[in-house]
Amino acid sequence: MTSLPDPAVLVLEDGTRHVGRAYGAVGTTLGEVVFATGMSGYQETLTDPSYAGQIVLQTAPHIGNTGMNDEDTESRRIWVAGYIVRDPSRVVSNWRANASLDEILVQDGIVSISGIDTRAVTRHIRSAGSMRGGIFSGEAAGLDAEEQLRIVREAPEMAGQNLSAQVSVETATVTPAVGERIGNLAVLDLGVKQATLDNLAARGFEVHVLPQSSTFADIMAIDPVAVFYSNGPGDPSASDGQVAVLREVLDAKLPYFGICFGNQLFGRALGLGTYKLTFGHRGINQPVLDKATGRVEITAHNHGFAVEAPIEGSFDSPQGYGRVEVSHVGLNDQVVEGLRALDIPAFSVQYHPEAAAGPHDANYLFDRFRDLVIADIATKDAK
């Protein structure tokens, strides 16, 4: 007879407690508790560096049935601080799998919990907002409840954290262009996903992935035709260094494309503010309006911060980069989901157009970026 897993408990900073069973690695983990609404793609979610520092709750109740494989990983490891699921699959049923989810969680040391009412936790976070939490299993599950709560409340809040250095490459890497080569693209790795690099290379860019600490001189050393800022974890207000470098990029009139964290840093470079959302957008079913076409796209998101900007009409960049407009708007809550500069070759979106787990409604943005760069090269050659 198979024994049940050891007890585990999820403790939120407001004192809320949920008792379940240990899953993955055993021990203690702390982070910001957030929920992700994707019905599939848990492997891509877990290996997305943007989730560093966060304990991710899956709203889909049944997780792990397709196991884990070597092809769908988005980075070199699992980055979530912890994992919360309701019903982990006891059987792996996919011909591509070479390990179970539980095995990889243990391998990467990810303390997780199962068997709790994830719907109740989600409803609580939607009402009270994302907050610090901790998962305690093994010996830690037996700690006094007040001691567990004290440990959670002493953990750092997500606001004010700069986490890019934890997830970025330490040395530059290069992904060769596929097909007709356009030129070198400088990608500042703030937590980039493999699918993003594959999409950029497929458009003819020789993709140079640079550490998050790179200077403008480092970027220019590869003779780039454009610059790309990736997604990533943390608070954009704590990334002054990357904002300063981006302003040098914009001053040099280099074409720019940013996604997710790269959208927030673009907003800051333009002189706009950012703020923390109550519970953020995380999942692969977020409706966004492309204002240029009137088309509604279902998109993949993972962000807890957003840019402050007027939704309607154009406005002048407070930092002096000419006219700017909000290009995309989230239809659930009217959050800014994209920015487009009208007087310099630069734009960004708050969501993930690579969406390796789907959907692919926004994949055209990589083509839009390629076309922008080709047009910029043609303009410079004509002068």
Side-chain angles (χ1 to χ4, degrees):
M1 182 175 178
T2 303
S3 62
L4 289 173
D6 293 336
V9 61
L10 169 67
V11 180
L12 301 181
E13 70 173 278
D14 64 358
T16 304
R17 297 171 60 84
H18 296 266
V19 177
R21 294 288 174 181
Y23 185 52
V26 172
T28 299
T29 191
L30 304 169
E32 181 185 43
V33 179
V34 301
F35 62 87
T37 58
M39 296 289 286
S40 63
Y42 60 80
Q43 179 167 342
E44 290 87 347
T45 294
L46 289 167
T47 56
D48 179 351
S50 300
Y51 281 113
Q54 297 178 323
I55 298 174
V56 175
L57 178 152
Q58 294 280 182
T59 59
H62 194 216
I63 297 295
N65 57 304
T66 56
M68 299 283 277
N69 63 69
D70 293 333
E71 299 173 27
D72 294 341
T73 185
E74 287 292 343
S75 63
R76 58 191 179 274
R77 55 160 295 172
I78 292 177
W79 289 103
V80 301
Y83 202 39
I84 306 168
V85 301
R86 178 171 175 173
D87 297 317
S89 177
R90 292 170 292 177
V91 178
V92 174
S93 303
N94 189 280
W95 66 272
R96 298 169 66 233
N98 51 27
S100 70
L101 172 56
D102 183 50
E103 289 170 337
I104 302 302
L105 289 170
V106 171
Q107 172 186 295
D108 285 0
I110 309 302
V111 176
S112 307
I113 186 172
S114 67
I116 68 173
D117 187 345
T118 50
R119 183 177 182 183
V121 181
T122 300
R123 288 173 64 88
H124 183 62
I125 292 174
R126 277 186 58 88
S127 174
S130 298
M131 64 185 78
R132 291 169 295 177
I135 299 173
F136 301 86
S137 60
E139 292 183 4
L143 290 173
D144 180 77
E146 288 301 316
E147 174 66 7
Q148 291 171 340
L149 183 58
R150 181 192 65 78
I151 293 171
V152 168
R153 288 178 173 172
E154 288 182 353
E157 296 185 11
M158 183 59 70
Q161 287 199 62
N162 184 331
L163 300 175
S164 299
Q166 295 183 17
V167 299
S168 180
V169 296
E170 295 183 359
T171 57
T173 65
V174 179
T175 299
V178 176
E180 185 176 352
R181 183 179 181 277
I182 295 174
N184 297 334
L185 174 65
V187 173
L188 196 70
D189 178 14
L190 305 169
V192 72
K193 296 162 69 176
Q194 186 60 46
T196 301
L197 305 180
D198 293 343
N199 271 283
L200 291 167
R203 268 65 178 189
F205 294 109
E206 182 168 292
V207 181
H208 291 247
V209 180
L210 306 179
Q212 57 85 32
S213 58
S214 297
T215 64
F216 181 65
D218 294 330
I219 290 174
M220 295 306 293
I222 70 164
D223 190 24
V225 293
V227 175
F228 178 92
Y229 270 29
S230 78
N231 57 290
D235 185 343
S237 69
S239 295
D240 293 344
Q242 287 99 354
V243 171
V245 171
L246 180 49
R247 285 178 178 156
E248 292 185 87
V249 169
L250 301 180
D251 289 340
K253 299 295 192 296
L254 280 168
Y256 171 79
F257 179 24
I259 66 169
C260 201
F261 202 59
N263 174 72
Q264 296 160 12
L265 298 187
F266 182 45
R268 286 200 58 205
L270 294 173
L272 305 173
T274 57
Y275 64 98
K276 195 175 190 300
L277 296 165
T278 303
F279 50 82
H281 301 164
R282 298 174 182 89
I284 56 177
N285 52 4
Q286 305 282 337
V288 168
L289 172 66
D290 182 343
K291 292 174 61 180
T293 63
R295 184 169 177 254
V296 175
E297 306 161 1
I298 303 302
T299 58
H301 288 226
N302 173 19
H303 65 108
F305 294 85
V307 176
E308 293 178 304
I311 299 295
E312 301 300 332
S314 63
F315 56 92
D316 291 331
S317 160
Q319 199 65 29
Y321 290 107
R323 298 166 300 148
V324 181
E325 67 178 8
V326 171
S327 59
H328 296 76
V329 179
L331 295 180
N332 284 334
D333 51 13
Q334 299 298 297
V335 166
V336 172
E337 295 292 348
L339 297 167
R340 184 166 74 99
L342 302 180
D343 298 316
I344 56 174
F347 72 98
S348 61
V349 291
Q350 184 57 66
Y351 46 96
H352 290 230
E354 81 292 335
H360 299 136
D361 295 21
N363 197 261
Y364 70 91
L365 289 165
F366 292 106
D367 296 324
R368 184 177 288 182
F369 181 48
R370 178 198 59 204
D371 294 344
L372 176 70
V373 174
I374 290 173
D376 182 73
I377 293 172
T379 300
K380 290 174 179 174
D381 287 345
K383 291 183 178 179

